[in-house]
Amino acid sequence: MAKNGKERKSQINEEALMIDVSKKQFHRDEADGISKDGFSAISKDDFSAISKDGFSAISKEKTREDFITLAIESSCDESSASILRGERELLSNVISSQIAIHKQYGGVVPEIASRHHLENINKVVEMAMQEASVCWNDINLIGVTHGPGLSGALVIGVSAAKAYGAALNIPIVAVNHMHGHIAAAYSAYPELKPPFISLVVSGGHTNIVKVNDYTDFEVLGQTRDDAIGEAYDKVARVLGLGYPGGPKIDKLAKQGDGKAVDFKRTWLEKGTYDFSFSGIKTGVLNYVNTEKQAGRKIKIEDVAASFQEAVVEVVTTKAMEAIDKEKMNKLVMAGGVAANSRLTEAMSKRCAEHNIEFYKPPVIMCTDNAGMIAIAAYHKYFKQGADALDFDVLPGLEI
Ligand code: KG4
Ligand code: ZN
């Protein structure tokens, strides 16, 4: 991750911390005056002034390659902070996962997630800065996920980002989490540029998106019920595998026969790129119940592999149809489920057969992380400028 993080360590951490403290002190004095009439004093006008001419907030000598973005991600159960240099060089990407905590409840408990974000958010920011060897003065932009996600979780990251942005008097941009997932691939592939088709497969979304430009997205298809990751998690629960189910099914399926059970594929009406995964989830549940009632032993690795084959066939087929129809030559897979080994294998094979370039970020960049948010923030800022400080969290934000 921290490609050049280690080499770039020009300042010792104590030095960086000393600068932080004095800077904070300076801004605390300013903020005391501001705080009397709350946000109206800092805010909208100051920030939209920055946004109009963008670069005025950046020190004159800084080029876009030297531009430093701090990003924060807290939409679900990962508290993460990252430092990006320029367009795609991630100097750090610190992720504090809460999986071990939520595991015992079989899924993410929103209130618990918020509490842990609150405890971790400043720590991950400090760690990301230390790992990247940057201090507060070096940061030019703050990017933060403001949706979609859990509202109580998003609020922690957004509040922290606004506080840093106001204290440092630097621009801030609100980032769509799904744009972040799509942007993740830029960090791994310097040559990758839009336009391309992106297959976005995560715990909350399943989309086929036409990415016309870095900030221009067109949704061609989406799920009409469960997201693919949700289906993986629910099927894993039925099979008694625990949370999160995706990686567990991925691993178990390697030992199973994908043809053992012929689960019905849901294609929906001809020509649509939309998906539906609730049928297959019910299909697995019915199969398991029927077998149990008949007293037959269930081979869960076969069920896992057969379920996986069915969903992989549907998503890869629809993605290829979209590529074909839109006459694109690149496919970028994104989102937590893009970490899936079988999906990766099947999608890359289909792309190779059709002479389509296939891109998939490394696993750590597929699941939620602030590095991808930093890249999306960079592009949004240089295209649209900063956001006013009064932006809100949007739990149901669409692509
Ligand atoms: O993108 P993500 O980290 O969070 C959301 O924005 O939703 O995706 C999480 C989802 C979970 O449903 C998890 O089970 C699934 O990604 N996932 C996988 C794998 N790794 C994570 N699904 C299938 N195979 C995997 N290897
Ligand atoms: Zn995500």
Side-chain angles (χ1 to χ4, degrees), residues 104-133:
Q104 56 191 306
Y105 307 103
V108 178
V109 183
E111 291 77 6
I112 297 177
S114 304
R115 205 177 311 145
H116 283 275
H117 284 308
L118 192 56
E119 279 168 16
N120 290 327
I121 211 79
N122 293 327
K123 288 183 204 156
V124 291
V125 169
E126 277 165 27
M127 285 169 71
M129 288 174 61
Q130 279 189 14
E131 201 181 318
S133 292

Side-chain angles (χ1 to χ4, degrees), residues 258-278:
K259 294 197 178 75
V261 191
D262 187 18
F263 290 121
K264 191 174 177 298
R265 279 78 165 141
T266 307
W267 296 103
L268 300 171
E269 64 278 8
K270 209 172 158 32
T272 183
Y273 300 123
D274 281 355
F275 302 98
S276 167
F277 296 107
S278 69

Side-chain angles (χ1 to χ4, degrees), residues 177 181 202 368:
H177 181 80
H181 272 305
S202 76
D368 293 348

Side-chain angles (χ1 to χ4, degrees), residues 1 30-31 46 55 60 72 82 120 137 139 146 165 167 189 191 209 222 226 280 303 306 351 384 399:
M1 255 348 59
E30 272 188 351
D46 288 356
F55 266 110
K60 293 280 178 286
I72 297 176
S82 171
N120 290 327
N137 282 323
I139 300 169
H146 75 135
Y189 303 98
E191 74 281 14
V209 184
Q222 58 199 321
D226 292 350
I280 185 139
V303 180
S306 301
C351 284
Q384 296 163 14
I399 292 181

Side-chain angles (χ1 to χ4, degrees), residues 293-368:
Q293 275 160 15
R296 286 189 286 266
K297 197 172 176 313
I298 302 160
K299 243 186 125 188
I300 58 169
E301 46 277 52
D302 283 353
V303 180
S306 301
F307 155 76
Q308 184 162 268
E309 279 314 303
V311 293
V312 164
E313 186 184 330
V314 173
V315 293
T316 53
T317 303
K318 291 201 178 222
M320 290 314 293
E321 283 170 1
I323 287 255
D324 196 36
K325 166 116 188 302
E326 298 295 327
K327 300 191 176 24
M328 292 277 169
N329 63 354
K330 290 177 224 164
L331 182 93
V332 174
M333 216 155 73
V337 183
N340 186 271
S341 58
R342 178 67 189 121
L343 178 59
T344 304
E345 180 191 37
M347 197 74 254
S348 67
K349 185 164 175 271
R350 284 204 178 209
C351 284
E353 283 163 4
H354 292 85
N355 219 8
I356 303 296
E357 295 167 28
F358 174 69
Y359 299 88
K360 194 202 92 166
V363 169
I364 192 72
M365 292 295 292
C366 289
T367 46
D368 293 348

